[in-house]
């Protein structure tokens, strides 16, 4: 045990002194800051060039409304008052122009206007068909938006909203209905999302249900799974590289003259586990501090932390021993890639089924996937983090199966590692690896 | 010819009894028995792929034999003695990103040394091999010769009773070679048993008390150099004649073993005095020395490929 511990401490010390660790510690906060910063920068640096567009109004009545609404928008909503009291333009102005197809000299309107769009005189043009006002629709129903920059959606969205509001108003007016009354009658009724009420056993009083918080129901479970994934990925694939490097540089031979292959493997696994727990302690500490500062720390159930730590340990031992075994059987990084693919699929599996399980954590789909041992740590943690959590027997079964699977992975990994670490030449086939696992 | 007969009552550092090791269908070591006396310098020679490294790894219990028994420093078929063994592998294995001091401290700790003793030993050895100023540099900053000396220190740092050196002199310049050789011999003087494998026959002749040769997994030589040379007869003559090797060609009963340009080594079938008379009649003889066959000569006699057979090297 002393030698295993010595290997673990050296691995840990090497890892935390490396640039990769410092990069790993800073990666998440830097990514978050970059993402927030770039979004803020993007919002502050909107393209405010005028958006000129043509309207082919076959109804003959909608263009004046479009022009009026655009003018109103340009006046009221395009500029905002900044912190220093000055007006700042935050959105582009929309400048409509009526296009009369009769003026094309017999040419096709959409072809003529398309040319103008290509020459960048216009952002695009809209054709409003004759029957757009009709409540019954018909052959010439609807509108069409033509542009060469379909990724820009603010203008067509505004057009669709504005024209439809006007068309609805016209239809109600034609039907003789009062607009104010229509608005009243069609008012949306909001729905409150609440938890469950209960009777306090001590006082016998009813405790009213609390309003559910989006942060608690979505951000906490998703954040837990994402953090667990980060912790596993930051510590386990590195094991493959270190073993491969030691094998290529013949360091493993020196080490094996002093320790057994099992001591070496367990030392490395323990070292990686310590690195990962150091990272998670740093992250959890910082995140808790941030949440406390934001006043939402109480929305994180305290029982989640021990579950997180437990599932992190299981994941590290499972994937760590798999990556160590792969590293030991390869003689160059190219060999390792063919083994990496199926393992990465297993690591990524929880993300493929993440959304359906978030939507319906009690479904049989969620149950069976969260009982599949390689995915259990992340998916069972996800289900535990979503109130009210899975039944106790599912948690117990998941924990038991995954613990057994973990022992199986460590055992098989050690058998492969023992032979692979001194093997030279081409990497063995999967069949040969199986033979190594069951060899004496 | 076996060393066992020469060791008498001396205790053995290593004893292999009928050891066989196979890898798949390939038999790397075949029914090998060996007795390495404590306190001796024991040379392992043999062509590439003959089973030297496999034998060394079995002594270290990195590999386990399929058959036979291995006893090292009194421990039979266990790794219990490994902390008393220092090992220098054929290819150097040092962590490039670690400093010299850390890597040595790590290897010392793996051999069971406490940190205070390790610190002292590191200082002592670095000073002895002229590397003190490199103690806090990363291994990647060292030259090949310096790295080799650090690797040697890692093998001897814990005062091993058995020192196993696989090709310790490969790639060293003459100055570093001498430094390492004297360090190895000092270990022996302090009581350590030294086993080293080498392709340098001159080095083996100069340093080894016993020489063991393995060929195609089997032991083909084992004993003191004098005993081995005696068993190969006194038919070797070292000579220098006018006309060089050309003057010797076609002489009946004479086989040129080595043409060293300035002199030649030949093996003569008959009496060397007859050869001298014949040569004197043919050309001027500057040097004529009846000698025992060198280890190099013996090695070639055993391991040279037969006509039409590919070389092992």
């Amino acid at each position: 045990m002393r030698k295993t511990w010595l290997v673990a401490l050296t691995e840990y010390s090497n890892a935390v002194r490396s640039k990769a660790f410092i990069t790993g510690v800073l990666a998440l906060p830097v990514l978050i800051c970059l993402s927030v910063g770039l979004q803020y920068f993007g919002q502050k640096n909107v393209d405010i060039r005028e958006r000129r567009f043509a309207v082919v109004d076959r109804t003959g009545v909608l263009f004046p409304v479009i022009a009026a609404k655009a003018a109103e928008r340009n006046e009221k909503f395009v500029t905002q008052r900044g912190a220093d009291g000055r007006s700042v333009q935050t959105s582009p102005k929309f400048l409509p122009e009526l296009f009369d197809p009769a003026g094309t000299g017999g040419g096709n309107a959409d072809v003529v206007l398309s040319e103008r769009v290509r020459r960048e005189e216009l952002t695009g043009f809209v054709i409003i068909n004759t029957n757009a006002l009709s409540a019954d629709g018909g052959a010439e129903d609807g509108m069409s938006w033509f542009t060469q920059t379909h990724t820009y959606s603010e203008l067509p969205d505004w057009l669709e909203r504005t024209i439809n509001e006007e068309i609805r108003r016209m239809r109600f007016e034609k039907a003789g209905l009062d607009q104010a009354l229509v608005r009243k009658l069609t008012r949306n009724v909001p729905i409150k999302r609440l938890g469950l009420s209960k009777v306090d056993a001590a006082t016998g009083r009813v405790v009213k249900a609390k309003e559910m918080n989006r942060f608690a129901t979505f951000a906490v479970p998703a954040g837990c799974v994402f953090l667990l994934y980060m912790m596993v990925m930051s510590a386990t694939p590195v094991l493959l590289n270190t073993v491969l490097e030691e094998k290529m540089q013949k360091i493993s031979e020196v080490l094996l003259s002093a320790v057994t292959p099992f001591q070496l493997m367990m030392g490395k696994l323990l070292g990686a586990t310590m690195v990962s727990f150091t990272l998670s302690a740093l992250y959890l500490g910082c995140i808790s501090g941030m949440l406390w500062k934001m006043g939402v720390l109480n929305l994180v159930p305290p029982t989640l932390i021990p579950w997180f730590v437990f599932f992190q340990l299981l994941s590290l031992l499972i994937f760590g021993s798999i990556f160590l075994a792969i590293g030991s059987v390869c003689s160059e990084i190219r060999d390792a890639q063919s083994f990496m693919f199926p393992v990465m699929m297993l690591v990524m599996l929880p993300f493929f089924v993440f959304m359906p399980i978030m939507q319906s954590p009690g479904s049989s789909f969620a149950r069976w996937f969260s009982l599949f041992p390689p995915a259990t740590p992340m998916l069972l943690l996800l289900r535990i983090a979503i109130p009210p959590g899975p039944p106790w027997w599912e948690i117990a079964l998941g924990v038991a199966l995954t613990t057994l699977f973990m022992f199986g992975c460590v055992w098989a990994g050690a058998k492969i590692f023992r032979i692979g670490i001194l093997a030279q030449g081409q990497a063995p086939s999967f069949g040969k690896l199986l033979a190594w696992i069951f060899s004496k | 010819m076996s060393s066992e007969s020469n060791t008498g009552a001396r205790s053995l550092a290593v004893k292999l009894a009928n050891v066989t090791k196979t890898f798949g269908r390939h038999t790397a070591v075949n029914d090998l028995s060996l007795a390495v006396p404590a306190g001796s310098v024991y040379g392992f020679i043999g062509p590439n792929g003959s089973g030297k490294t496999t034998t060394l790894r079995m002594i270290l219990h990195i590999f386990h034999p399929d058959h036979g028994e291995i006893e090292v420093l009194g421990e039979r078929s266990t790794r219990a003695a490994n902390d008393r063994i220092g090992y220098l592998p054929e290819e150097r294995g040092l962590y490039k990103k670690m400093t010299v001091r850390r890597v040595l401290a790590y290897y010392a700790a793996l051999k069971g040394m406490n940190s205070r003793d390790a610190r002292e030993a590191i200082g002592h050895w670095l000073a002895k091999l002229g590397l003190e100023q490199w103690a806090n540099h990363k291994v990647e900053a060292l030259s090949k010769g310096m790295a080799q000396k650090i690797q040697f220190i890692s093998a001897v740092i814990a005062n091993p009773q058995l020192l196993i050196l696989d090709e310790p002199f490969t790639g060293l310049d003459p100055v570093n070679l001498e430094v390492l050789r004297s360090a190895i011999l000092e270990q022996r003087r302090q009581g350590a048993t030294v086993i080293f494998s080498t392709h340098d026959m001159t080095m083996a002749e100069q340093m080894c008390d016993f020489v063991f040769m393995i060929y195609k997994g089997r032991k083909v030589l084992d004993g003191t150099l004098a005993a081995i040379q005696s068993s190969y007869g006194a038919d070797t003559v070292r000579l220098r004649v006018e006309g060089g090797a050309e003057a010797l060609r076609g002489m009946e009963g004479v086989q040129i073993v080595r043409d060293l340009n300035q002199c030649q080594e030949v093996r003569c079938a008959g009496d060397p005095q007859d050869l001298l008379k014949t040569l004197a009649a043919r050309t001027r003889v500057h040097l004529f020395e009846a000698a025992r066959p060198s280890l190099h000569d013996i090695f070639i006699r055993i391991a040279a490929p037969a006509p039409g057979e590919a070389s092992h090297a």
Side-chain angles (χ1 to χ4, degrees), chain A residues 18 72 79 134 156 161 167 184 197 211 273 309 356-357 371 397:
Chain A
S18 69
E72 184 187 352
T79 53
S134 163
R161 202 169 50 245
I167 287 173
K184 264 187 176 178
S197 305
E211 195 162 345
T273 305
V309 171
I357 292 178
L371 292 178
L397 184 60

Side-chain angles (χ1 to χ4, degrees), chain B residues 152-175:
Chain B
F152 175 76
I153 295 175
S154 76
V156 296
I157 188 104
N159 299 316
Q161 292 172 19
L162 174 61
L163 187 55
I164 297 178
L165 311 168
D166 198 355
E167 304 283 354
F169 304 111
T170 309
L172 284 180
D173 63 57
V175 174

Side-chain angles (χ1 to χ4, degrees), chain A residues 13-87:
Chain A
S13 166
N14 283 351
V16 295
R17 287 165 188 239
S18 69
K19 285 177 192 155
F21 180 81
I22 297 163
T23 311
V25 170
L26 297 177
L28 191 61
V30 166
L31 274 176
I32 292 170
C33 289
L34 262 179
S35 156
V36 171
L38 285 175
Q39 279 182 34
Y40 180 77
F41 182 76
Q43 282 167 1
K44 286 280 173 192
N45 290 276
V46 182
D47 182 2
I48 52 169
R49 283 176 300 169
E50 289 173 346
R51 299 288 194 269
R52 213 168 270 282
F53 62 99
V55 179
V56 179
D57 182 10
R58 289 186 176 140
T59 65
V61 294
L62 287 170
F63 178 74
V65 180
I66 295 169
K69 292 269 186 185
E72 184 187 352
R73 176 187 173 279
N74 293 344
E75 192 182 331
K76 289 185 181 171
F77 305 112
V78 165
T79 53
Q80 284 182 1
R81 198 164 292 278
D84 55 358
R86 285 190 302 177
S87 288

Side-chain angles (χ1 to χ4, degrees), chain B residues 6-26:
Chain B
N6 297 303
T7 54
R10 285 173 74 176
S11 63
L12 296 178
V14 177
K15 187 179 174 189
L16 275 70
N18 307 107
V19 168
T20 298
K21 178 70 186 174
T22 55
F23 296 103
R25 290 179 189 165
H26 173 67

Side-chain angles (χ1 to χ4, degrees), chain B residues 171-182:
Chain B
L172 284 180
D173 63 57
V175 174
N176 281 321
L177 190 145
E178 279 310 317
V179 170
L180 210 58
R181 175 157 58 180
S182 67

Side-chain angles (χ1 to χ4, degrees), chain B residues 42-53:
Chain B
Y42 217 100
F44 277 31
I45 60 171
N48 294 332
S50 58
K52 293 190 302 288
T53 300

